[in-house]
Amino acid sequence: SGLMGYLDVYPTCMQMAGLKIDNPDRLDGRPCFDAIRNDIPTPVKAYYYLYRDADMIRTPRWKLFRRHDGSVELYDLQNDIGENDNVAKAHPELVASLRQQLQTWMRDHAIATSHMPLSPSAASPSGEVLEVSFSLQKEATPRAPQRIIFSQPAGTCTTRTYFQYDICVDASSVQAGFHIGPVYRKTSLFQRRGIIDDRGTPVSPNYRPVNKPNQWECRRIGMATFCPHKIAPIAIHITRAQKGSTFKFYLDNIRIAQLGSNTRKDIWQQGKVRARPTSGITGLQIRPVSYSLVKKP
């Protein structure tokens, strides 16, 4: 009885064969052969999942979904294996307990969730920062966005990977309808449903990257939903703006990093940038400037 899934097959077979597993704590699964042989509950207490715009915890009887918009769904698998009847409202204490278990697991494993906000971080620009300015000679829409690819980082994202950058948008610039992030199949990886920044703001076509113009802010977005996935080119994505719109903003500390680790890959370091804009971009300038020259509010 109890839970057993495909994660547990390998350690169970090793236990069945009487073989030792090196570093068993690094495995997600648990050996269940003794439980099967002795007809006792397996050592698996719960499974945890990340799925697109939600995360989930499953116990032997219950399954709880937590959505990016804060809503929850609870299903009694003992009586509703098809998950047709959401009973969350009928079991508020159970919902609270399962949510806490899920949150504890996320924290203990340093999961960089894409559909829940990461802890905010203060912007820390210094030295040279990137000044970016351009105009649109074509309208940008969610179906026909414009973009400027300016980096090709290497590596693969894991459940701990997140994307971070410091940004200051000039008061003369368009303030919304663009964001910074990886490219995926000629569009933004962050344009999938339910991707949330550190403020809890969805990365929608109308996304506003800063709260106030002429003010440095740090944006952090988890990438756990996309793992394992090759880290794609980093680009400026313009998803909703009129023809003739002008943009001017500053970037610094653009990096791919890992929660719970000092490991990071800086996307831009002081020096030149090779940018690849789409045809709707005109007058593009990306250049390093001194942080001290950036306007203060």
Side-chain angles (χ1 to χ4, degrees):
S1 61
L3 290 174
M4 181 178 176
Y6 69 90
L7 294 174
D8 310 306
V9 171
Y10 170 68
T12 298
C13 289
M14 292 291 284
Q15 188 180 61
M16 186 185 305
L19 300 176
K20 182 181 178 181
I21 298 176
D22 294 330
N23 300 318
D25 291 339
R26 298 185 65 180
L27 292 178
D28 291 323
R30 295 291 179 264
C32 299
F33 179 63
D34 286 345
I36 297 171
R37 179 172 53 186
N38 298 311
D39 194 24
I40 59 176
T42 68
V44 182
K45 304 301 181 185
Y47 286 125
Y48 303 88
Y49 299 86
L50 290 173
Y51 181 73
R52 294 183 182 175
D53 64 337
D55 48 28
M56 183 189 77
I57 177 173
R58 177 185 174 173
T59 67
R61 178 173 178 178
W62 302 97
K63 181 184 284 188
L64 177 84
F65 288 91
R66 183 176 63 165
R67 303 290 182 184
H68 74 281
D69 58 4
S71 63
V72 295
E73 299 170 24
L74 178 68
Y75 298 100
D76 181 356
L77 301 180
Q78 182 173 299
N79 300 299
D80 178 25
I81 192 63
E83 302 176 20
N84 297 308
D85 186 16
N86 179 8
V87 296
K89 292 183 179 180
H91 301 277
E93 293 183 358
L94 177 61
V95 167
S97 175
L98 291 174
R99 290 185 70 165
Q100 183 58 50
Q101 289 183 53
L102 184 56
Q103 191 63 33
T104 299
W105 180 80
M106 293 285 182
R107 183 195 64 229
D108 291 348
H109 291 79
I111 306 298
T113 53
S114 309
H115 62 288
M116 293 289 171
L118 299 179
S119 300
S121 178
S124 56
S126 62
E128 287 187 336
V129 300
L130 277 183
E131 180 186 77
V132 182
S133 61
F134 58 91
S135 299
L136 293 185
Q137 59 184 3
K138 293 181 181 179
E139 180 184 10
T141 68
R143 290 184 176 274
Q146 300 295 326
R147 65 180 174 274
I148 304 165
I149 296 176
F150 64 93
S151 177
Q152 174 65 73
T156 302
C157 68
T158 70
T159 56
R160 297 186 174 196
T161 305
Y162 66 94
F163 179 61
Q164 174 177 312
Y165 59 95
D166 293 343
I167 182 170
C168 175
V169 181
D170 193 88
S172 65
S173 170
V174 170
Q175 299 292 310
F178 72 100
H179 65 277
I180 320 298
V183 176
Y184 178 72
R185 293 182 179 177
K186 298 184 178 181
T187 187
S188 169
L189 189 67
F190 292 157
Q191 284 292 281
R192 295 183 177 186
R193 186 181 68 173
I195 306 304
I196 304 292
D197 71 9
D198 55 289
R199 299 171 296 178
T201 301
V203 185
S204 67
N206 297 319
Y207 182 73
R208 182 183 293 268
V210 295
N211 296 314
K212 296 180 180 179
N214 290 345
Q215 175 175 289
W216 280 98
E217 298 181 24
C218 177
R219 294 283 76 86
R220 306 173 85 207
I221 300 175
M223 298 179 67
T225 296
F226 312 112
C227 78
H229 193 290
K230 183 179 179 181
I231 297 175
I234 302 300
I236 300 162
H237 303 270
I238 304 94
T239 49
R240 181 159 286 159
Q242 298 294 322
K243 177 181 178 181
S245 297
T246 60
F247 296 78
K248 184 178 182 180
F249 50 89
Y250 303 89
L251 298 170
D252 197 20
N253 298 320
I254 313 166
R255 59 182 54 137
I256 301 288
Q258 308 290 324
L259 280 184
S261 170
N262 292 325
T263 302
R264 73 186 194 194
K265 180 176 180 61
D266 290 324
I267 304 304
W268 173 76
Q269 296 174 333
Q270 294 186 10
K272 295 182 179 180
V273 175
R274 296 180 62 183
R276 291 182 288 155
T278 51
S279 61
I281 306 291
T282 185
L284 173 64
Q285 289 191 7
I286 301 182
R287 59 173 185 162
V289 299
S290 172
Y291 164 65
S292 62
L293 299 179
V294 179
K295 293 179 181 179
K296 304 298 190 298

